[in-house]
Amino acid sequence: MTTLPDALAPDDMQTRAPAADGADAAFGAMPEWRLDDLYAAPDDPALKADIDWARQACLDFAARYEGRLAGLDGAGLAEAVAAYERIESRLGRVVSYVSLRYQQNTVDPARAKQLGDAQTAITDLTTPLVFFTLELNRLEEITLQTLLDGSPALARWRPWIERVRAFRPHQLSDELEKFEHDRSVVGVASWVRLYDETTAALEFDVDGETLSLEATLNRLSDGDRTRREAAARALTQVFRKNLRLFTLIMNTLVKEKEIDDRWRKYPSPQSVRHLSNQVEPEVIAALDAAVVEALPRLSHRYYAIKAKWLGLERLEFWDRNAPLPDADDRKIPWEEARDAVLGAYADFSPKMAELAQPFFEKGWIDAPARPGKAPGAFAHPAVADVHPYVLLNYMGKTRDVMTLAHELGHGVHQRLAAEQGELLSRTPLTLAETASVFGEMLTFQRLLAAETDPTRRKALLAGKVEDMLNTVVRQMAFYRFESRVHAARREGELTSEQLGEIWMAVQRESLGPAITLGDGYETYWTYIPHFIHTPFYVYAYAFGDGLVNALYAVHRDGMAGFQDKYFDLLRAGGTKKHGELLAPFGLDAADPGFWRRGLSVIEEMIDGLEALDG
């Protein structure tokens, strides 16, 4: 059913500070969303009309098809799926609008109320649809395959049907499924909303200045070490003050998931994410093992080098994102950031730049940081017959330019995949990160090629290494943290101290001996939104980075027709699995050497940084 989409879960929390609406003296004018492509205003009659239409459409759909799917021929079943898609699309427009307005200002009670009311209304009105996927999964396999093979109209929906039927062994009774559907609006969604509104309202006293979470995290990359430490102390103080609430939210959501997993007979807490990502557990296990094996050569080695650059025996945890000495700390104007990304995209293919251009011109990006605005960054596909929306918190750093490139990669991907329609455009998270990370790589390579100053080249290369470590090493550490938390929660409720111990253990393993994880760092799990929004989302980043490193190597080696094959990969949306999509490039994620080759790209960059030191 239509709910708040995974795509609205923010990408890895970026560190940014607030700016004035729409512009900043250092950045110039920046775009903000124009949501009128969805609805003209919060009280637009069309919004209520769409909800009313969907309510009647759901009743009509159930009256026509409930209890009758087994008697349909291929054409009739194809017509049913198409009708179901039309309802999903109309409701997706409603959810997108109220969700995006809420993300613009999560502390506005009116926006929060509209989101909550819309989610409740949609949950209620879609109850008559619950039967559809349940009955679809009850069709005998031989019967369904005969229908698919005999009807071109139905065969178009094969990928979506296969995704639905992947969950067939974990389906509950019709009555229980309807109960779960009705309960959802006061279950997970409410706890997620509580977390979001709590984090958005947090205030931090840093050297007498009151800052938001974004602004305080931004100080952790300040060039002044005393300012970084002050920010870290402020974060610790506020996280500790709210630790009981965050611990309760985590315990509740993890237990809720354990109950659901147990009733549905999922073999592991990660199973539902693997199924939705259409990726085999063995592939993710191989990725995790490859990352753990490479830690001494990657993060452990890099942070030891960075400590030496900073003149320190060891880094404190607030030094991890510190800029290098003599690094260029200028603020990059928005127009320069835009030109860098579009230029990198155009170098790869003019078509890619053409797909990205409207985001800047038509109100598809909301760039300025504002009090109350959702943290981090994301690209939301909205619905297939409109266009995606990108949220940023732009603060003019090189990393912010990379974030722009990342989210525009998502946007280009979503525009191309939209050709498949509402149901078939939905890309598994593992493949959804491909275009975003590829966009980052293109932009980085362009910036590096244009930079002639040795100090700035070193800073650029170090920044890319840190981004890749955050994308691969840090995200897989998050995955191991979640895995251990979900396993431990099955033995009983976890205290704040236990959660902190698990967090510290995986962080020590991940970051290595060159970083001191001092008092207070045990609370830092609390600000990672993915643990709350989308359990086990995080490995998709590492999957995407490794996949892109391999793809970029193929591109760099001059594969004929690479651009066309790449656009075909993006255009496929959710119609193909990773094995089918990678085959034209000669790549196989099931190959144990695949991930080692991807990680070797990071290792080679660290080698390059060591060589710069002579």
Side-chain angles (χ1 to χ4, degrees), residues 69 71-78 147 151 154:
L69 291 193
L72 297 177
D73 60 12
L77 187 55
L147 293 175
S151 171
L154 184 61

Side-chain angles (χ1 to χ4, degrees), residues 377-392:
F378 62 73
H380 173 49
V383 286
D385 60 353
V386 182
H387 55 76
Y389 285 90
V390 165
L391 179 139
L392 304 171

Side-chain angles (χ1 to χ4, degrees), residues 119-154:
Q119 287 184 317
T120 299
I122 289 171
T123 299
D124 291 344
L125 69 86
T126 54
T127 297
L129 296 184
V130 172
F131 83 91
F132 184 54
T133 54
L134 303 181
E135 282 194 32
L136 188 61
N137 280 344
R138 282 200 293 269
L139 295 178
E140 293 295 331
E141 186 66 23
I142 189 169
T143 300
L144 181 59
Q145 290 304 320
T146 299
L147 293 175
L148 286 165
D149 293 341
S151 171
L154 184 61

Side-chain angles (χ1 to χ4, degrees), residues 195-235:
Y195 175 85
D196 287 347
E197 293 183 3
T198 300
T199 54
L202 294 178
E203 293 184 339
F204 303 81
D205 183 353
V206 186
D207 292 331
E209 186 178 359
T210 300
L211 301 177
S212 67
L213 174 60
E214 288 279 0
T216 311
L217 289 167
N218 187 62
R219 288 283 178 91
L220 296 180
S221 57
D222 196 286
D224 185 330
R225 196 174 191 224
T226 60
R227 285 164 62 86
R228 295 198 301 272
E229 182 177 358
R233 301 297 185 198
L235 288 166

